[in-house]
Amino acid sequence: MNIHIFDNAEQIGAAVGEMLISAVNNDPDISLGFATGASPVPTYKYLIKAYDEGKVSFKGVTTFNLDEYCNLPKSDKNSYYSFMHDNLFDHIDIKEENVNFLNGNAEDTEDECKRYDALIAEKGIDIQLLGVGRNGHIGFNEPSDKFTKGSFRVKLSESTINANSIYFDENPMPRYALTMGTVSIMKSKQIIMIATGEAKKDAIYGMVHGDITPVCPASVLQLHPNVHIFLDKDAAVRL
């Protein structure tokens, strides 16, 4: 693991943004995996600014998002489809047909997960952006007794519900989601993780120094040959 420690989230956003801009400019048809939540927002803001300044174009980029809530209309402000469009896609020149999400409202979630995995297998993911949950989850791969493989429907843990329910002020937070599996994430050629805040310190310690165990799903990243971890000082306090 390559660990980078910064003073604050804005510095991380600039550093990760520059990595992604360089990658896109070197390969305009690159495939990127994106994450939601607070951690990547400064990076997305940096990418928008760079696009506005003519430093990068996303016309040829293909994207795959990690996860999506079940039984939540994609037009809902809290869907990850809406999140990505509000925080990035609506502000750059990416083509909508190149943007890929799991459909959390699919009638047959098993078929939907197979469809998504086939798309990823066909295109591949060059760089996967990740955050990490307080309990060590990546995507919505919650602590478990085994590592997951392909995309699947998951019941969200109480820890995840407690952390994310602050965003649901009108409708109750969904209890289920569709997510890329751990093995799918690990197939990405490069992984970039962002974590900020003291609340993530235990998860970061377990990821970096703990046993490789599905009890801390992020610990599997120890096995990936090309991982960059971007932390602020609070998240890195136990390292």
mmCIF file of all heavy atoms in Angstrom, residues 125-156:
data_model
loop_
_atom_site.group_PDB
_atom_site.id
_atom_site.type_symbol
_atom_site.label_atom_id
_atom_site.label_comp_id
_atom_site.label_asym_id
_atom_site.label_seq_id
_atom_site.Cartn_x
_atom_site.Cartn_y
_atom_site.Cartn_z
ATOM 1 N N ILE A 125 -12.079 -2.172 -15.201
ATOM 2 C CA ILE A 125 -11.966 -0.902 -14.484
ATOM 3 C C ILE A 125 -10.491 -0.595 -14.292
ATOM 4 O O ILE A 125 -9.757 -1.363 -13.670
ATOM 5 C CB ILE A 125 -12.697 -0.953 -13.127
ATOM 6 C CG1 ILE A 125 -14.202 -1.140 -13.335
ATOM 7 C CG2 ILE A 125 -12.430 0.334 -12.327
ATOM 8 C CD1 ILE A 125 -15.007 -1.260 -12.055
ATOM 9 N N ASP A 126 -10.061 0.523 -14.847
ATOM 10 C CA ASP A 126 -8.645 0.909 -14.756
ATOM 11 C C ASP A 126 -8.310 1.473 -13.383
ATOM 12 O O ASP A 126 -7.272 1.135 -12.809
ATOM 13 C CB ASP A 126 -8.312 1.922 -15.856
ATOM 14 C CG ASP A 126 -8.438 1.319 -17.243
ATOM 15 O OD1 ASP A 126 -7.722 0.344 -17.525
ATOM 16 O OD2 ASP A 126 -9.265 1.811 -18.033
ATOM 17 N N ILE A 127 -9.163 2.346 -12.866
ATOM 18 C CA ILE A 127 -8.952 2.937 -11.545
ATOM 19 C C ILE A 127 -10.269 2.912 -10.783
ATOM 20 O O ILE A 127 -11.284 3.402 -11.279
ATOM 21 C CB ILE A 127 -8.449 4.391 -11.627
ATOM 22 C CG1 ILE A 127 -7.149 4.477 -12.425
ATOM 23 C CG2 ILE A 127 -8.242 4.968 -10.221
ATOM 24 C CD1 ILE A 127 -6.659 5.906 -12.648
ATOM 25 N N GLN A 128 -10.250 2.341 -9.604
ATOM 26 C CA GLN A 128 -11.437 2.310 -8.746
ATOM 27 C C GLN A 128 -11.225 3.228 -7.553
ATOM 28 O O GLN A 128 -10.265 3.075 -6.798
ATOM 29 C CB GLN A 128 -11.713 0.895 -8.251
ATOM 30 C CG GLN A 128 -12.868 0.793 -7.268
ATOM 31 C CD GLN A 128 -14.202 1.142 -7.904
ATOM 32 O OE1 GLN A 128 -14.633 0.505 -8.858
ATOM 33 N NE2 GLN A 128 -14.872 2.162 -7.379
ATOM 34 N N LEU A 129 -12.116 4.197 -7.399
ATOM 35 C CA LEU A 129 -12.092 5.095 -6.256
ATOM 36 C C LEU A 129 -12.950 4.503 -5.145
ATOM 37 O O LEU A 129 -14.068 4.054 -5.391
ATOM 38 C CB LEU A 129 -12.633 6.464 -6.673
ATOM 39 C CG LEU A 129 -12.474 7.632 -5.701
ATOM 40 C CD1 LEU A 129 -11.012 7.933 -5.444
ATOM 41 C CD2 LEU A 129 -13.171 8.874 -6.260
ATOM 42 N N LEU A 130 -12.417 4.490 -3.927
ATOM 43 C CA LEU A 130 -13.111 3.913 -2.779
ATOM 44 C C LEU A 130 -13.127 4.876 -1.598
ATOM 45 O O LEU A 130 -12.212 5.686 -1.440
ATOM 46 C CB LEU A 130 -12.423 2.633 -2.298
ATOM 47 C CG LEU A 130 -12.402 1.392 -3.185
ATOM 48 C CD1 LEU A 130 -11.595 0.300 -2.484
ATOM 49 C CD2 LEU A 130 -13.808 0.920 -3.484
ATOM 50 N N GLY A 131 -14.142 4.737 -0.761
ATOM 51 C CA GLY A 131 -14.118 5.242 0.599
ATOM 52 C C GLY A 131 -14.105 4.031 1.513
ATOM 53 O O GLY A 131 -14.024 2.886 1.053
ATOM 54 N N VAL A 132 -14.201 4.251 2.792
ATOM 55 C CA VAL A 132 -14.263 3.144 3.737
ATOM 56 C C VAL A 132 -15.228 3.510 4.861
ATOM 57 O O VAL A 132 -15.263 4.661 5.316
ATOM 58 C CB VAL A 132 -12.867 2.796 4.308
ATOM 59 C CG1 VAL A 132 -12.281 3.971 5.095
ATOM 60 C CG2 VAL A 132 -12.910 1.539 5.158
ATOM 61 N N GLY A 133 -16.037 2.546 5.276
ATOM 62 C CA GLY A 133 -16.964 2.784 6.369
ATOM 63 C C GLY A 133 -16.286 2.663 7.719
ATOM 64 O O GLY A 133 -15.175 2.127 7.831
ATOM 65 N N ARG A 134 -16.954 3.138 8.746
ATOM 66 C CA ARG A 134 -16.392 3.053 10.093
ATOM 67 C C ARG A 134 -16.162 1.612 10.527
ATOM 68 O O ARG A 134 -15.286 1.335 11.355
ATOM 69 C CB ARG A 134 -17.326 3.748 11.084
ATOM 70 C CG ARG A 134 -17.508 5.243 10.810
ATOM 71 C CD ARG A 134 -18.498 5.861 11.781
ATOM 72 N NE ARG A 134 -18.784 7.251 11.432
ATOM 73 C CZ ARG A 134 -19.604 8.038 12.110
ATOM 74 N NH1 ARG A 134 -20.236 7.566 13.177
ATOM 75 N NH2 ARG A 134 -19.808 9.281 11.726
ATOM 76 N N ASN A 135 -16.955 0.696 9.950
ATOM 77 C CA ASN A 135 -16.786 -0.716 10.282
ATOM 78 C C ASN A 135 -15.888 -1.451 9.289
ATOM 79 O O ASN A 135 -15.811 -2.670 9.293
ATOM 80 C CB ASN A 135 -18.151 -1.409 10.367
ATOM 81 C CG ASN A 135 -18.920 -1.363 9.048
ATOM 82 O OD1 ASN A 135 -18.428 -0.867 8.043
ATOM 83 N ND2 ASN A 135 -20.139 -1.879 9.058
ATOM 84 N N GLY A 136 -15.222 -0.688 8.420
ATOM 85 C CA GLY A 136 -14.300 -1.276 7.459
ATOM 86 C C GLY A 136 -14.934 -1.711 6.153
ATOM 87 O O GLY A 136 -14.274 -2.357 5.333
ATOM 88 N N HIS A 137 -16.205 -1.370 5.921
ATOM 89 C CA HIS A 137 -16.814 -1.808 4.665
ATOM 90 C C HIS A 137 -16.285 -0.998 3.486
ATOM 91 O O HIS A 137 -15.931 0.171 3.622
ATOM 92 C CB HIS A 137 -18.347 -1.762 4.736
ATOM 93 C CG HIS A 137 -18.955 -0.400 4.647
ATOM 94 N ND1 HIS A 137 -19.650 0.184 5.680
ATOM 95 C CD2 HIS A 137 -19.020 0.501 3.639
ATOM 96 C CE1 HIS A 137 -20.104 1.366 5.310
ATOM 97 N NE2 HIS A 137 -19.720 1.582 4.068
ATOM 98 N N ILE A 138 -16.213 -1.646 2.336
ATOM 99 C CA ILE A 138 -15.891 -0.987 1.064
ATOM 100 C C ILE A 138 -17.031 -1.290 0.100
ATOM 101 O O ILE A 138 -17.521 -2.400 0.043
ATOM 102 C CB ILE A 138 -14.535 -1.429 0.479
ATOM 103 C CG1 ILE A 138 -14.410 -2.952 0.440
ATOM 104 C CG2 ILE A 138 -13.396 -0.805 1.263
ATOM 105 C CD1 ILE A 138 -13.130 -3.448 -0.224
ATOM 106 N N GLY A 139 -17.461 -0.278 -0.681
ATOM 107 C CA GLY A 139 -18.740 -0.400 -1.333
ATOM 108 C C GLY A 139 -19.748 -0.600 -0.219
ATOM 109 O O GLY A 139 -19.694 0.056 0.819
ATOM 110 N N PHE A 140 -20.661 -1.537 -0.415
ATOM 111 C CA PHE A 140 -21.534 -1.943 0.690
ATOM 112 C C PHE A 140 -21.213 -3.375 1.113
ATOM 113 O O PHE A 140 -22.091 -4.115 1.542
ATOM 114 C CB PHE A 140 -23.011 -1.805 0.304
ATOM 115 C CG PHE A 140 -23.575 -0.430 0.556
ATOM 116 C CD1 PHE A 140 -24.385 0.180 -0.380
ATOM 117 C CD2 PHE A 140 -23.314 0.247 1.739
ATOM 118 C CE1 PHE A 140 -24.924 1.444 -0.152
ATOM 119 C CE2 PHE A 140 -23.847 1.506 1.982
ATOM 120 C CZ PHE A 140 -24.656 2.107 1.037
ATOM 121 N N ASN A 141 -19.947 -3.758 0.985
ATOM 122 C CA ASN A 141 -19.505 -5.048 1.488
ATOM 123 C C ASN A 141 -19.310 -4.929 2.991
ATOM 124 O O ASN A 141 -18.285 -4.445 3.469
ATOM 125 C CB ASN A 141 -18.210 -5.467 0.799
ATOM 126 C CG ASN A 141 -18.397 -5.782 -0.667
ATOM 127 O OD1 ASN A 141 -18.777 -6.888 -1.028
ATOM 128 N ND2 ASN A 141 -18.152 -4.784 -1.509
ATOM 129 N N GLU A 142 -20.312 -5.358 3.727
ATOM 130 C CA GLU A 142 -20.307 -5.226 5.174
ATOM 131 C C GLU A 142 -19.449 -6.327 5.822
ATOM 132 O O GLU A 142 -19.151 -7.349 5.188
ATOM 133 C CB GLU A 142 -21.741 -5.319 5.712
ATOM 134 C CG GLU A 142 -22.685 -4.265 5.184
ATOM 135 C CD GLU A 142 -22.519 -2.917 5.862
ATOM 136 O OE1 GLU A 142 -21.501 -2.712 6.552
ATOM 137 O OE2 GLU A 142 -23.406 -2.063 5.705
ATOM 138 N N PRO A 143 -19.024 -6.136 7.082
ATOM 139 C CA PRO A 143 -18.310 -7.200 7.787
ATOM 140 C C PRO A 143 -19.087 -8.513 7.731
ATOM 141 O O PRO A 143 -20.306 -8.536 7.923
ATOM 142 C CB PRO A 143 -18.217 -6.661 9.212
ATOM 143 C CG PRO A 143 -18.200 -5.175 9.045
ATOM 144 C CD PRO A 143 -19.143 -4.915 7.898
ATOM 145 N N SER A 144 -18.361 -9.597 7.443
ATOM 146 C CA SER A 144 -19.011 -10.879 7.205
ATOM 147 C C SER A 144 -18.065 -12.010 7.579
ATOM 148 O O SER A 144 -16.967 -11.777 8.091
ATOM 149 C CB SER A 144 -19.407 -10.974 5.725
ATOM 150 O OG SER A 144 -20.010 -12.203 5.423
ATOM 151 N N ASP A 145 -18.485 -13.241 7.291
ATOM 152 C CA ASP A 145 -17.626 -14.397 7.553
ATOM 153 C C ASP A 145 -16.915 -14.875 6.296
ATOM 154 O O ASP A 145 -16.162 -15.845 6.329
ATOM 155 C CB ASP A 145 -18.421 -15.548 8.174
ATOM 156 C CG ASP A 145 -19.585 -15.995 7.300
ATOM 157 O OD1 ASP A 145 -19.816 -15.366 6.238
ATOM 158 O OD2 ASP A 145 -20.261 -16.965 7.666
ATOM 159 N N LYS A 146 -17.155 -14.183 5.161
ATOM 160 C CA LYS A 146 -16.446 -14.524 3.928
ATOM 161 C C LYS A 146 -16.429 -13.309 3.003
ATOM 162 O O LYS A 146 -17.306 -12.440 3.067
ATOM 163 C CB LYS A 146 -17.115 -15.706 3.222
ATOM 164 C CG LYS A 146 -18.546 -15.456 2.797
ATOM 165 C CD LYS A 146 -19.142 -16.688 2.142
ATOM 166 C CE LYS A 146 -20.590 -16.426 1.730
ATOM 167 N NZ LYS A 146 -21.193 -17.622 1.081
ATOM 168 N N PHE A 147 -15.396 -13.262 2.161
ATOM 169 C CA PHE A 147 -15.325 -12.198 1.171
ATOM 170 C C PHE A 147 -16.314 -12.478 0.038
ATOM 171 O O PHE A 147 -16.502 -13.623 -0.375
ATOM 172 C CB PHE A 147 -13.907 -12.077 0.600
ATOM 173 C CG PHE A 147 -12.918 -11.466 1.551
ATOM 174 C CD1 PHE A 147 -11.872 -12.220 2.053
ATOM 175 C CD2 PHE A 147 -13.030 -10.138 1.941
ATOM 176 C CE1 PHE A 147 -10.947 -11.657 2.936
ATOM 177 C CE2 PHE A 147 -12.119 -9.567 2.816
ATOM 178 C CZ PHE A 147 -11.079 -10.330 3.316
ATOM 179 N N THR A 148 -16.930 -11.418 -0.461
ATOM 180 C CA THR A 148 -17.909 -11.553 -1.531
ATOM 181 C C THR A 148 -17.215 -11.578 -2.892
ATOM 182 O O THR A 148 -16.077 -11.131 -3.032
ATOM 183 C CB THR A 148 -18.903 -10.395 -1.482
ATOM 184 O OG1 THR A 148 -18.197 -9.150 -1.553
ATOM 185 C CG2 THR A 148 -19.704 -10.436 -0.190
ATOM 186 N N LYS A 149 -17.917 -12.073 -3.890
ATOM 187 C CA LYS A 149 -17.342 -12.178 -5.234
ATOM 188 C C LYS A 149 -17.945 -11.123 -6.149
ATOM 189 O O LYS A 149 -17.502 -9.989 -6.170
ATOM 190 C CB LYS A 149 -17.548 -13.597 -5.767
ATOM 191 C CG LYS A 149 -16.792 -14.658 -4.982
ATOM 192 C CD LYS A 149 -16.992 -16.042 -5.561
ATOM 193 C CE LYS A 149 -16.206 -17.081 -4.761
ATOM 194 N NZ LYS A 149 -16.401 -18.458 -5.301
ATOM 195 N N GLY A 150 -18.979 -11.499 -6.918
ATOM 196 C CA GLY A 150 -19.594 -10.545 -7.825
ATOM 197 C C GLY A 150 -20.587 -9.642 -7.117
ATOM 198 O O GLY A 150 -20.742 -9.671 -5.891
ATOM 199 N N SER A 151 -21.269 -8.820 -7.904
ATOM 200 C CA SER A 151 -22.265 -7.905 -7.349
ATOM 201 C C SER A 151 -23.400 -8.697 -6.707
ATOM 202 O O SER A 151 -23.733 -9.802 -7.139
ATOM 203 C CB SER A 151 -22.826 -7.004 -8.454
ATOM 204 O OG SER A 151 -21.783 -6.245 -9.048
ATOM 205 N N PHE A 152 -24.010 -8.120 -5.662
ATOM 206 C CA PHE A 152 -25.053 -8.833 -4.931
ATOM 207 C C PHE A 152 -25.915 -7.853 -4.139
ATOM 208 O O PHE A 152 -25.564 -6.688 -3.971
ATOM 209 C CB PHE A 152 -24.438 -9.868 -3.984
ATOM 210 C CG PHE A 152 -23.660 -9.268 -2.831
ATOM 211 C CD1 PHE A 152 -24.191 -9.270 -1.549
ATOM 212 C CD2 PHE A 152 -22.409 -8.690 -3.023
ATOM 213 C CE1 PHE A 152 -23.482 -8.716 -0.486
ATOM 214 C CE2 PHE A 152 -21.703 -8.135 -1.967
ATOM 215 C CZ PHE A 152 -22.238 -8.154 -0.695
ATOM 216 N N ARG A 153 -27.045 -8.374 -3.653
ATOM 217 C CA ARG A 153 -27.950 -7.605 -2.794
ATOM 218 C C ARG A 153 -27.533 -7.813 -1.351
ATOM 219 O O ARG A 153 -27.348 -8.939 -0.900
ATOM 220 C CB ARG A 153 -29.392 -8.055 -3.002
ATOM 221 C CG ARG A 153 -30.440 -7.266 -2.221
ATOM 222 C CD ARG A 153 -31.828 -7.740 -2.643
ATOM 223 N NE ARG A 153 -32.898 -6.994 -1.995
ATOM 224 C CZ ARG A 153 -33.574 -7.406 -0.931
ATOM 225 N NH1 ARG A 153 -33.272 -8.584 -0.361
ATOM 226 N NH2 ARG A 153 -34.545 -6.682 -0.422
ATOM 227 N N VAL A 154 -27.385 -6.719 -0.612
ATOM 228 C CA VAL A 154 -26.881 -6.807 0.753
ATOM 229 C C VAL A 154 -27.834 -6.106 1.711
ATOM 230 O O VAL A 154 -28.416 -5.068 1.383
ATOM 231 C CB VAL A 154 -25.464 -6.167 0.849
ATOM 232 C CG1 VAL A 154 -25.483 -4.711 0.423
ATOM 233 C CG2 VAL A 154 -24.897 -6.304 2.254
ATOM 234 N N LYS A 155 -27.995 -6.684 2.873
ATOM 235 C CA LYS A 155 -28.697 -6.014 3.957
ATOM 236 C C LYS A 155 -27.700 -5.136 4.684
ATOM 237 O O LYS A 155 -26.649 -5.607 5.138
ATOM 238 C CB LYS A 155 -29.307 -7.029 4.927
ATOM 239 C CG LYS A 155 -30.117 -6.365 6.040
ATOM 240 C CD LYS A 155 -30.785 -7.400 6.953
ATOM 241 C CE LYS A 155 -31.620 -6.716 8.028
ATOM 242 N NZ LYS A 155 -32.283 -7.697 8.914
ATOM 243 N N LEU A 156 -27.993 -3.855 4.790
ATOM 244 C CA LEU A 156 -27.060 -2.911 5.382
ATOM 245 C C LEU A 156 -26.984 -3.092 6.889
ATOM 246 O O LEU A 156 -27.978 -3.367 7.552
ATOM 247 C CB LEU A 156 -27.473 -1.480 5.040
ATOM 248 C CG LEU A 156 -27.575 -1.169 3.542
ATOM 249 C CD1 LEU A 156 -28.033 0.260 3.329
ATOM 250 C CD2 LEU A 156 -26.242 -1.410 2.842
#
